[in-house]
Amino acid sequence: MSAQQPQAAAALGHISFPTSGSSAAQPAFIRGVLLLHSFEYDEAIDAFREAQKTDRGFAMAYWGEALAYNQPLWLNENFDKARATLQRLGPTRAARAAKAPTMREKSFLDAVERLYGDGDKRSRDRAYADRMAQLHREFPRDDEAAAFYALALLSTIPAGERNLPVSLAAGEIALAILVHNPEHPGANHYALHAFDDGEHAARALAAAKTYARIAPASSHARHMPSHVFLPLGMWDQAVASDESAFAASVALATRKGLSASQYDFHALSWLHYEYLQQGRFAKARGTMRTVEAAIGSQGARVARGSQGSRGARGAQGAGGAQGSQGAQGSRGAQGAEGARISGARGATAEHLENPQHHENAQHPENRQHPENPEISQHPE
């Protein structure tokens, strides 16, 4: 069936992803893919489940939900829930493949089968990336195959390491998509991750100026431009990005009746550092008061997140445990405030129950999902 993007999903970017699901299930499916590209995992899971309810045999809706339980740049995965999702589609790999009526859809499904197959996480990530490479070769004009392949490449880089050849290859794949679809959320997003090492940040400047504008419904999309603005020294733009991201997360938590622990403290940590760089020390202290108030309201307990989305790792970027090379990670914060919360760790790291991963703090991604309270939601 054709995959006309629903108007309601316009605030998340634009994609074309034709599949064999019923026309009634397409709007929810497309919304799920858009959310997936912006790492809004919990909302993506809800959207894919909505598509499944509309069309119970829609194999790609199960593919999407299963994929949403893997948040590689946040080092978070719910393997059991992913396998359970695939089991709902069919009891065996062969039975599930039979539900995918085209070779293209069988290939997407097979890639996810490998992601959640045998072996440790690193070997499964490698197997998934290899299968996505094959899919990209088989369908070179398929933007979704290309975008998810770019992310799969980034996912093969071990935590805390840089691999420029792999990152740059992923970035070039993303940029190629943007040539004909400049509003593709995944391509903009993955280009920002691929080129955020400082030396190559200018390659993603157009993506930085585009992503938040095309996907304002995502707090994470509002934050991501700072991955490029910050290493380029564009402090005003970086501050605007993270102020907007944090405000969006507060608005979302308020709308959903969630606690302050679900605010996007990843963006706030970057904002703290950015204020310091501007010499706006009172504003930087204000971010700490926000953190302290949230901790107080939670009894010093940070909600653990949900379905898998905002979960395991706050955010991958500068303030997070991994840090972004040219951003806070490499430079650290200056002055007395910097001593309390160094740029390399992210503003709230010391105040969270999981200090090794500031990214566990609260991105909109760290919100708790009612169905999976055992996993933090975010990451980045």
Side-chain angles (χ1 to χ4, degrees):
M1 302 289 295
S2 125
Q4 290 297 319
Q5 182 161 315
Q7 190 63 33
L12 291 164
H14 292 87
I15 61 172
S16 174
F17 197 1
T19 61
S20 60
S22 69
S23 57
Q26 291 298 321
F29 173 75
I30 292 296
R31 187 170 71 254
V33 177
L34 290 167
L35 288 162
L36 197 55
H37 280 313
S38 287
F39 290 1
E40 300 292 349
Y41 293 112
D42 288 342
E43 289 78 5
I45 289 167
D46 290 340
F48 289 127
R49 288 182 179 174
E50 181 183 338
Q52 293 164 24
K53 288 177 183 177
T54 304
D55 183 350
R56 300 224 173 249
F58 186 6
M60 290 299 287
Y62 296 86
W63 160 85
E65 182 184 345
L67 192 57
Y69 290 115
N70 180 55
Q71 297 110 44
L73 302 191
W74 298 344
L75 305 185
N76 188 42
E77 178 189 60
N78 193 323
F79 182 90
D80 291 340
K81 280 193 172 289
R83 292 300 307 171
T85 298
L86 294 174
Q87 286 287 319
R88 292 203 318 272
L89 176 61
T92 66
R93 189 166 179 167
R96 293 188 287 271
K99 298 282 186 72
T102 69
M103 287 306 300
R104 173 173 160 272
E105 291 178 36
K106 287 182 190 297
S107 294
F108 274 107
L109 191 58
D110 181 54
V112 165
E113 295 277 6
R114 299 184 190 204
L115 180 61
Y116 298 114
D118 296 331
D120 60 24
K121 184 67 167 70
R122 187 167 183 180
S123 64
R124 290 187 285 109
D125 284 343
R126 181 73 263 170
Y128 172 69
D130 289 345
R131 186 63 180 90
M132 289 306 300
Q134 180 183 347
L135 178 55
H136 181 45
R137 288 194 299 270
E138 291 170 350
F139 301 94
R141 301 180 69 180
D142 188 319
D143 286 349
E144 298 314 297
F148 285 114
Y149 174 43
L151 178 58
L153 283 175
L154 294 174
S155 304
T156 65
I157 302 174
E161 296 182 16
R162 283 281 175 181
N163 186 326
L164 277 179
V166 172
S167 292
L168 297 181
E172 293 303 328
I173 292 168
L175 292 183
I177 297 170
L178 296 176
V179 170
H180 55 268
N181 182 4
E183 296 193 350
H184 192 291
N188 280 286
H189 188 182
Y190 310 145
L192 290 167
H193 279 297
F195 295 120
D196 74 348
D197 61 282
E199 180 183 354
H200 300 91
R203 295 281 290 139
L205 185 56
K209 293 178 177 179
T210 301
Y211 189 28
R213 175 179 59 79
I214 64 169
S218 167
S219 169
H220 189 56
R222 296 182 185 216
H223 156 71
M224 277 304 303
S226 61
H227 276 239
V228 160
F229 292 148
L230 193 154
L232 292 178
M234 300 172 68
W235 300 109
D236 290 347
Q237 292 89 336
V239 163
S241 294
D242 286 315
E243 286 179 337
S244 174
F246 187 72
S249 76
V250 172
L252 180 62
T254 301
R255 186 168 69 251
K256 292 196 167 189
L258 302 172
S259 73
S261 71
Q262 302 306 305
Y263 296 167
D264 186 356
F265 290 112
H266 174 70
L268 193 68
S269 75
W270 286 61
L271 187 57
H272 174 271
Y273 177 77
E274 291 152 2
Y275 283 150
L276 291 176
Q277 293 300 310
Q278 292 182 319
R280 300 166 73 184
F281 303 118
K283 295 286 281 185
R285 291 188 189 99
T287 65
M288 287 310 308
R289 286 192 288 273
T290 299
V291 172
E292 290 157 2
I295 292 172
S297 71
Q298 291 299 301
R301 174 185 154 281
V302 174
R304 297 206 48 202
S306 98
Q307 280 194 150
S309 89
R310 322 253 155 107
R313 294 193 49 104
Q316 169 177 307
Q322 290 192 64
S324 270
Q325 238 178 253
Q328 300 170 230
S330 61
R331 303 192 48 192
Q334 299 175 353
E337 294 286 334
R340 290 178 65 195
I341 303 176
S342 89
R345 299 242 351 140
T348 62
E350 303 173 14
H351 305 276
L352 299 172
E353 285 186 348
N354 189 7
Q356 314 92 290
H357 301 305
H358 153 239
E359 305 184 34
N360 255 21
Q362 264 359 174
H363 212 197
E365 286 142 357
N366 283 43
R367 299 188 300 266
Q368 242 177 328
H369 192 285
E371 298 210 10
N372 193 6
E374 73 272 20
I375 293 191
S376 290
Q377 283 180 133
H378 174 231
E380 212 194 7

